[in-house]
Structure formats: C-alpha cells, structure tokens
Amino acid sequence: MIRKFIDKLLGKPAADSAAAPARIPLGKRMEVPASEHGIDPNLLDERAVRVVTTLQDAGYEAYIVGGAVRDLLVGRRPKDFDVATNATPEQVKGLFRRAFIIGRRFRIVHVIHGRGRDHEVIEVSTFRAYMDPTAAEQVEGNEKTAKNDMAGKSHVVDASGRVLRDNVWGPQVEDAARRDFTVNALYYDPRRQVVVDYHHGLKDAKAQVLRMIGDPATRYREDPVRIIRVIRFAAKLGFTIEPKTLKPLKPMAELLANVPASRLFDEMIKLLQTGHALASLAELKRHGLDRGVFPVLEAVLANAPEGSAREKFVHLALADTDRRVAEGKAVAPSFMLACMLWHDVDAKWSALRAQGEHPMPALSQAIDAVFDARIGDISGRGKLATDMREIWMMQPRFERRTGQTPYTLVEQPRFRAGFDFLRLRADSGEAAAELAEWWEDFSLGSDADREALIEAARESGRPRRSGAAGGRRSGGGSSSSASPRPRADADQRAEQDEAGADAAPHDDTAPEAGDAPTGDAPRKRRRRRRRPSGPRGPEGDTPPMAAPGHDAGD
C-alpha cells in the first residue's frame, strides 16, 4: 500500500497498468454545419424526423444517429433510421401511442408507424454512460445462459470481457465513446441541420476509413460481433479498415464461438442481404473469416468448389439478391437460404429415392433432415421452415404442365418465389430453360393462351424432365433407376406421390377410390375443376410475374 502511494507521488504507473485496458477517449464535441457536411435533407425519413421533433418539443435532446448519418454523409438513402435521446425508455414510450420497450441486453424503444406491410419501426435508444469494463460485474455464460445471474444488474460482462448488459444512462459524450466506429458515432439534428461529432467521424467518412474508437482488441472483446460488422461495413461502403482496427480481427475471431447461434445467424442474414453479398463473401475470404464463423455459410462454401454447378447457382442467387436490393425491391431470407441449401436437399432427396421412397415423401424427408442439420434451433425457425419448404416442394410440381395442376400452382401464395427459384435453376443449367419459359408464359397469359400452352405440353408427349423430377438430372449428377414408363402411368404415379404427401396440400388431383394404384391399370379419372371465367393475365386473378427475385409474397 505504501509502495503504491509513493509510486503515485512520483508519477510512476501502477504495476498492473500495462495489463489494464485503455480507457476509451471521450472526445471533444464539434458541431458541423450543413455547409460542411453536405447532407441532403431530401434523403431523410419524415417519420424519423417526426420522432426527433416530438422528443425535442417535449424538452429532450434527440438526434438521428449511427449508420443512418454515415449513409447520409456518403449520399446514400438509409434503409433504417435510429434515434438517440437523453429521455429514458419509459419517457420515450409515454410520448408515442404505439411504442414498445424491448431488449434485455440493451433496453430500447420501438416506435411503430403505419400498419401491415407498410409499417416502419424507428428505434429509439437512450444515451448510455461509458462504463469501464474492469468496473462491471462479471458472470459466466452468455445472453441466454446468464439470465438469472444478471437479474438486478445494469452493467455485466462475461469472463472474456463481452458486455452482456449495459443499461446505465449517461451524457451524449459518453454515449459517443461507447459506439464502435468513428463513422457510427455521429449525431444529426434535422431541425438545425448540424452534425455532432466527437471522434472525427466526419473526417473518416470522407476518407472512407473504418476506425475503431478506443483500443480495438478491448472493443472486440466487449462485443465480438463487431468483427463481423467491420467486414460488413467494409463490403457495403467500400471503406478501408484502418490498420490498428484490422490487426486483431483474425486472432480474436475465436471469441465469436461464445456468441449465441441465433445472433450469429441474424448477422449472417444482414451480411448477405444488404445489397453487397458477393462483396461481403470476398471480404470474409480476404481476412480469413470464411471458415469457423457461420456454419451454414461454411457448409455451402466447402461443398461448392469454384466452377461447380453449386457454386454457379449460389453465385447467381447472391447476385440476384444484390440486384434486387439495388433496385429497392424486397428480399426474403427464406429465398436466399433455400438457394444456399438446395443442393444439400437435392442430394438427400436423390439418396432417398434410390432407396425406394416415392418422390414427394422423399423430398419432404430430405427437407426436414437438411433444415435440422443446417439451421437448427434459431429464432424465427418456424416461418423460415414454412417458406423454404414451399419453395422446394414446388419444384417437382413445375414438371407437370397438364390438367389442373398449372392453374392450381399459379394461385399459390409462394408461386412467384417458387418460379424465381426455378428460373435460377434454369439460368445455372440445372433445369430446362424451356420449362421456365413455359411457366412464365403461362403465368402472364390469357385464358386462351394458357389453354394453348397446356395443349402443346400434352401433345409433346412426356414433358422434358430436368433435375427436379426423375430421369437424368443435369444439376445433381444422378439419374433415376426406373426405366421409362408410358405417359399415362407416369402421370398416375406423379398424382399418387402428390396425393400421398402432406407437403403438397394444394393440389386437387388426389386419386379417387377404386382406381388401380400401379402397373398397367387404366389411367385414373380426375375430377376436373372448372376454371374461373374472365381474364387471367396481369389484370386477372393471377398476380403479375416479377423479374426473377425474392418476392415470396410476405
């Protein structure tokens, strides 16, 4: 104790000071006027501005913050707008009719505008105090396993220094110090049109540099997901990662093993759906993070060598995602994941059919096996499984172009997603190009056009088969062990497969009682459904076809 007192008087550092993490610099407040930052007010979201002005009118500080300001500075229209304020979550909630406090790790408020598909969420967070990691309470586990241990605590870290809970409010200067990169620690007041900058983020934004605030290693320990975020921002913005920020990136990637699988899964979806999926994959490979981070992505890349059919298919799917985002169109994670895992499903499906399983039940079993192995228990699993299953189960049904099946199929809610998937298969050479063209013509055609297309398919004899329904499969590299059967028998088997599988509930071609099931029996009778009258083109009952993409009807 005396030695420490003497050392302090002499100005000597404490013995353990080298091991202690450096305190994050608080920075100095700078207000940058519109003449310098050049943000275009027309790129602002009026609902976000309304949230800011409501808080300011109530006497609180409020700013648009983070990534939205960063994107505005480089002339991009932000996808999401976040707001930061000195009002507590309870005070924010009290100012808005539709506002909800969420989160355990960080308590924030979601202010909801609009309803249904047009609704928008403005996320409002309270300025948080900077807390020295050495002063936090330490527990074991993660966000899930440490729930009971964190009860009643406001600032908690785990053994590696990762922040598990941080709900201590503070001034704006400390809130800025808490943020990860300098370009994300910017605050914009839409009323005064000034940018508040504490860490020279405006300068870094103009120089297109990603720089961590404080000691990078310490900040990665606080939240290992920052390792993924810096990759995503570099790919999305085309920014360079500053050397000190880059140096600990790969060595500290092992910390991601302690992050809950559901959170990593969400980060993977963000990485691949921000409109720069291909650039993100290239960035991951460049820094050696394409292995051991995302199990799903790793499985896909490991089984898709360069130049393979699978690699071509996945590349086309990700490029299509990037195109749709650039065009301002919706993208669905279920579609992207269906593309990434399709060849796993296809291989399992082929194996089950080789063992004697009927096609449709075999496909259903293959889907269950792959989904459980690759996706596992994550948040939102149920909806993902439903959407992906419908896309996959639709593929063999595209092979049937006679009778009532085409009319039934185009009326399904996921038809457009299923067709887009078929189109990608055709573009990669896995499915017949004329099959995709036939369905596009049918979906857009008039009643007479559809009748003619069905008649042409009927007269052509057995439809030309592609990778999804027996025969030789150009994409899977396997072939059916069964010899060719007469047309009537093939249709009969296909109808039995669909009727016997719960996975295809929308088909109205179930066999009637008394029909002979196999062999050379006469062709089964089907109850023909009357087609609806009136036009069935873009203005009719069938929704217009979109260009190949991800609109899953959500």
Side-chain angles (χ1 to χ4, degrees), residues 365-515:
Q365 293 176 42
I367 290 170
D368 289 340
V370 170
F371 199 88
D372 288 341
R374 297 300 189 205
I375 303 299
D377 183 18
I378 59 161
S379 175
R381 170 191 166 97
K383 178 169 173 51
L384 272 177
T386 299
D387 292 349
M388 293 166 67
R389 176 180 290 273
E390 290 190 9
I391 291 171
W392 286 330
M393 295 297 293
M394 209 175 288
Q395 300 311 301
R397 299 184 71 195
F398 281 122
E399 299 288 342
R400 300 185 57 208
R401 295 178 284 172
T402 59
Q404 295 302 302
T405 296
Y407 292 99
T408 303
L409 203 54
V410 295
E411 293 172 356
Q412 302 310 314
R414 296 290 182 272
F415 170 76
R416 289 164 63 186
F419 171 80
D420 290 343
F421 193 89
L422 173 66
R423 172 63 75 184
L424 285 174
R425 291 177 57 224
D427 290 344
S428 67
E430 178 182 323
E434 60 264 28
L435 182 64
E437 292 169 2
W438 190 96
W439 278 100
E440 183 169 9
D441 292 341
F442 185 85
S443 64
L444 295 173
S446 65
D447 206 34
D449 293 335
R450 292 180 174 187
E451 194 70 44
L453 285 165
I454 290 176
E455 184 61 29
R458 184 182 296 115
E459 290 179 356
S460 67
R462 183 177 181 179
R464 183 176 178 181
R465 302 283 172 154
S466 64
R472 292 197 62 82
R473 303 166 61 125
S474 59
S478 61
S479 61
S480 173
S481 60
S483 59
R485 296 192 301 265
R487 165 80 185 204
D489 193 30
D491 283 349
Q492 181 180 8
R493 293 291 181 90
E495 289 168 6
Q496 288 175 338
D497 289 336
E498 290 197 25
D502 293 335
H506 302 294
D507 200 352
D508 60 350
T509 58
E512 296 180 358
D515 285 336

Side-chain angles (χ1 to χ4, degrees), residues 130-150:
Y130 167 75
M131 300 293 291
D132 192 324
T134 59
E137 297 182 73
Q138 188 178 108
V139 298
E140 299 204 0
N142 57 36
E143 288 96 327
K144 291 184 177 181
T145 60
K147 181 178 179 180
N148 294 332
D149 293 335
M150 291 191 294

Side-chain angles (χ1 to χ4, degrees), residues 520-542:
D520 297 326
R523 185 169 181 168
K524 297 184 314 206
R525 292 182 178 180
R526 294 185 299 173
R527 183 178 295 109
R528 185 172 294 275
R529 185 171 64 88
R530 180 177 299 173
R531 293 190 301 273
S533 59
R536 298 184 61 89
E539 302 300 325
D541 296 331
T542 303

Side-chain angles (χ1 to χ4, degrees), residues 56 91 302 314 346 358 394 429 452 474 522 553:
Q56 290 178 347
Q91 290 169 332
V314 172
D346 193 32
H358 285 291
M394 209 175 288
S474 59

Side-chain angles (χ1 to χ4, degrees), residues 51-61 87 91 95-96 191:
V51 170
V52 170
T53 55
T54 299
L55 287 163
Q56 290 178 347
D57 290 343
Y60 301 108
E61 295 180 68
Q91 290 169 332
L95 293 174
F96 300 94
R191 263 185 170 164

